[in-house]
Amino acid sequence: MKAAARFRGTMRVRVMLAWARLRGLMRNKNFRAVSAAVATLVLLTSLRAYDPRIVTELKERTFDTYQRLKPRAYTDQPVRIVDIDEASIAEYGQWPWPRTRLAALTRRLADLGSGVIAYDIIFSEPDRTTPSRLASDLKDSGVPDLDQTMKLLANLPDHDRAFADAIGKTGVVLGFAAGNTANAQRPPIRAGLAFVGVNPARVLVPFHGTVSSLPIFTDAAAGIGGINLSSHDRAGIVRRVPMLFSDGANVYPGLAVEALRVAQNQKSIVVRGTGSSGDSDTGHAALIDMRVGAFKLPLTSNGESWIYFSRDQPQRYVSVKDILDPAKEAAVKPLIDGAIVLVGASAAGLMDARATPLGGLVPGVAIQAQLIEQILAQDFIERPDWTNGLEIVLTVLFGALVAGLVLAFGARFSFYAGVVVFLAGLAGSWIAFSHFRLLIDPIFPSLAALAVYIAVERVLHVASDHEKKFVRQAFGQYLAPELLAQLENSPQAMRLGGESRDISVMFMDVRGFTPISEALTATELVDFINTLLAPLSDAIQDEMGTIDKYIGDSIMAFWNAPVEVPDHASRACRAALKMRAAIDVLNDADVFGFSARGFADPRVRIGVGINAGLACVGNMGSQRRFNYSAMGDVVNVAARIESASKALNVDLLVSEDVAQRTKGIALLEAGEILLKGKSRPTKIYTIAGDEAVAASPEFAEWKRMHGALLAAIKTRHLQEANTALARCRELAGDDMQDFYRHFAEQVADLDSAMMQRHAEGPADEMRLTK
């Protein structure tokens, strides 16, 4: 039972210690800043991995800017747009035109030597102007001789058949629109499909229905391709175009791909995806690229192709009006001969205008034309799947770098360093685009770094405010304002928990405090202590000292902690001199009222002891309640030096360690004393004055005579001792007269010894006077 109780007690203590350590760690500002940085990075990295629409639009707007700054250079490729423009509408009337005119257009383009004709138009309804359709409309019209009229119309050629014949004889590619409205309408497949790796039908999002041209046209066409233009942007900007479509089972090419296939007389296209030779199947099915005859083009994972736009050029377009005008044959034949011809509309009323990254609107057929141009020129922009991973890595790296810079160098330097990091990322992204045609987003990683910067800076700022408040609460009553401001700005200088520092320690005590306390009431005693300690504390703080504690009528103070004070020994001595001067002022003004009350000795006296050396300074106590203090032998020696000042009748005493460190302070040796706990005597000094006193010729004489006095006493030369003592008393001020009473007693003891020796015999007298 006892063993179990001891075990439970031990575990409770360990849990309490672990909890205390954890709480201490959580209070550490760097730990909190790192935690904020990690939390922000995790959140932003997860957001980037999820890639919501707002993030996608942000990076795509960046890519749009790149294209506006450096669009694809236009080169005159064999690609032409036969344009149903305003001039053509004015010439041939409102759209839709009779299919006989389209048949004439198709034959005309063939005669001009077109390589392939692709209609970016869907002919999903019969021609209303065809004679058989007119005959049907005339049944209930009340036209005279209706039967004869209908027979006459029935013998006229069918417009749709005429157009279908032209399609079948000239190698035409028709389009269809894939949609989500379910229907059974499916266009015929003209292109064969070969795939390496994953089956594209597994990757492509299946459509559920189509809007296609009439079977009379699709059956005659050499190729069938999808005309959908992808737009995921709210503003309707077209950046990518689907190259492949699927209904879940069958795969269809896009219009541009099909036109390119037919132009090369190819039977099939080849699609490569993950799992192919050289591309490991990681479980994520994706498409990589495709080949159409002699031409290869990269694909996004879902079968689209980025379009690298050039400026819309008028030489791409040939008006239908000019094509059908025999007088313009010489001008248009060089443009059409051997070209991939796309027939589409730019007339405003036909509503086929699309937005591009370059700004402005272009006809939808122009986007198909630009797609074919970049395939022929092999000038693509790409965004491979690995760019997503790279951007996530950059997000983490930028954020971690900025967080590290803030923690290491502070907010201001890190801000400028962060700007440099952002500019470097932007420059790298631009180089990747302009030289390698790679689309890599620098904005999200940079915004993530900015978010991390703000998070870490705010945490450090709040922690700094707490530290300053903590420092002011802990040290406001004990430090000089200059030291307090320095400590607030550099709280790391105060390492709680203890550190070894070279310090100067002072103890001050009021002489004869017991009679004073007996003569005063409790309230009067408190007033006396407060009145006395206030100017003495000011003297310590004026010299950059730290007040450790008040112990009744005593003060303990030290220098060079928690912040560094380079000349701490000299400052401690100057503080002692200021304390002496403050006591004189208080006594002269009878501030305590002791003279008025008839005290036998109305003057208040103090004793000060100062020592210097290594001590342990830091937080003594617990994390919740502590006292910033100093511990060590140097503290004990300082306290005992202060106690020794009573016996030596002097108010200010310092150790030899202090005397060796001071610069310019007027010090006089007070002799050697055996301090409690020490096996060897300790040499001590009294403070005679400040730097001005030390530099005066009077002090030089005084110090010389004081040395002579010490030497005479040590060698037992009575006459020299008396002479030196008398001269020292002349040179010393009133504050130092009591100091020489101690030496007068030593000289008197020496005189008594000589008298005793004289009485015992001449020989002894002879020996004493040598």
Side-chain angles (χ1 to χ4, degrees), residues 611-639:
N611 189 26
L614 289 175
C616 178
V617 293
N619 177 19
M620 310 297 175
S622 69
Q623 289 290 338
R624 303 184 68 177
R625 185 172 180 84
F626 70 90
N627 179 36
Y628 191 81
S629 186
M631 296 180 65
D633 186 62
V634 63
V635 178
N636 299 332
V637 171

Side-chain angles (χ1 to χ4, degrees), residues 436-715:
F436 304 103
R437 302 294 190 264
L438 291 174
L439 298 175
I440 300 174
D441 176 33
I443 302 300
F444 189 87
S446 300
L447 290 178
L450 176 62
V452 170
Y453 170 85
I454 293 173
V456 174
E457 192 275 335
R458 285 293 87 193
V459 168
L460 292 179
H461 180 77
V462 172
S464 179
D465 284 346
H466 287 169
E467 281 182 339
K468 288 183 178 181
K469 183 179 179 181
F470 165 78
V471 168
R472 187 164 292 278
Q473 289 176 344
F475 294 93
Q477 300 297 320
Y478 310 109
L479 287 177
E482 297 86 352
L483 278 181
L484 187 61
Q486 183 179 347
L487 191 58
E488 285 180 337
N489 293 328
S490 302
Q492 65 273 14
M494 180 187 65
R495 300 172 187 166
L496 300 181
E499 62 172 325
S500 182
R501 294 286 285 268
D502 181 55
I503 63 172
S504 294
V505 185
M506 170 192 285
F507 278 88
M508 186 285 302
D509 185 51
V510 178
R511 299 284 179 261
F513 180 70
T514 300
I516 293 174
S517 62
E518 291 173 349
L520 301 176
T521 65
T523 303
E524 290 172 339
L525 184 61
V526 171
D527 291 341
F528 165 74
I529 291 294
N530 291 340
T531 304
L532 174 68
L533 296 185
L536 301 184
S537 300
D538 291 343
I540 292 171
Q541 292 184 345
D542 286 347
E543 291 298 330
M544 312 297 282
T546 300
I547 297 175
D548 184 302
K549 59 178 69 74
Y550 298 103
I551 313 169
D553 61 317
S554 302
I555 298 176
M556 175 184 170
F558 51 82
W559 280 256
N560 206 39
V563 294
E564 292 187 1
V565 180
D567 53 343
H568 55 87
S570 298
R571 285 190 174 274
C573 293
R574 285 195 290 271
L577 289 170
K578 289 182 178 180
M579 295 167 76
R580 172 192 282 170
I583 287 293
D584 289 342
V585 170
L586 293 174
N587 285 327
D588 293 344
D590 194 24
V591 171
F592 306 116
F594 291 173
S595 293
R597 298 175 65 169
F599 277 32
D601 186 2
R603 297 189 69 82
V604 175
R605 293 176 175 82
I606 61 172
V608 174
I610 302 175
N611 189 26
L614 289 175
C616 178
V617 293
N619 177 19
M620 310 297 175
S622 69
Q623 289 290 338
R624 303 184 68 177
R625 185 172 180 84
F626 70 90
N627 179 36
Y628 191 81
S629 186
M631 296 180 65
D633 186 62
V634 63
V635 178
N636 299 332
V637 171
R640 288 162 187 164
I641 290 175
E642 182 275 319
S643 297
S645 65
K646 300 175 184 178
L648 296 178
N649 296 314
V650 66
D651 56 349
L652 312 180
L653 279 181
V654 303
S655 67
E656 187 175 14
D657 288 325
V658 174
Q660 292 173 351
R661 297 163 191 251
T662 55
K663 299 177 181 178
I665 301 295
L667 298 176
L668 295 172
E669 184 180 338
E672 294 182 342
I673 58 173
L674 185 64
L675 298 176
K676 183 179 179 181
K678 296 292 182 182
S679 59
R680 296 182 180 180
T682 300
K683 186 178 289 187
I684 54 177
Y685 296 79
T686 187
I687 305 174
D690 58 13
E691 290 86 349
V693 173
S696 65
E698 291 82 1
F699 179 72
E701 172 65 13
W702 182 9
K703 187 174 183 179
R704 186 181 68 80
M705 294 307 300
H706 185 79
L709 172 60
L710 295 178
I713 293 173
K714 186 175 183 179
T715 58

Side-chain angles (χ1 to χ4, degrees), residues 48-67:
R48 177 61 189 81
Y50 180 69
D51 207 15
R53 171 173 287 187
I54 187 172
V55 174
T56 300
E57 289 187 5
L58 178 65
K59 63 189 175 189
E60 289 187 345
R61 293 304 174 99
T62 303
F63 302 151
D64 293 349
T65 302
Y66 288 173
Q67 289 210 54

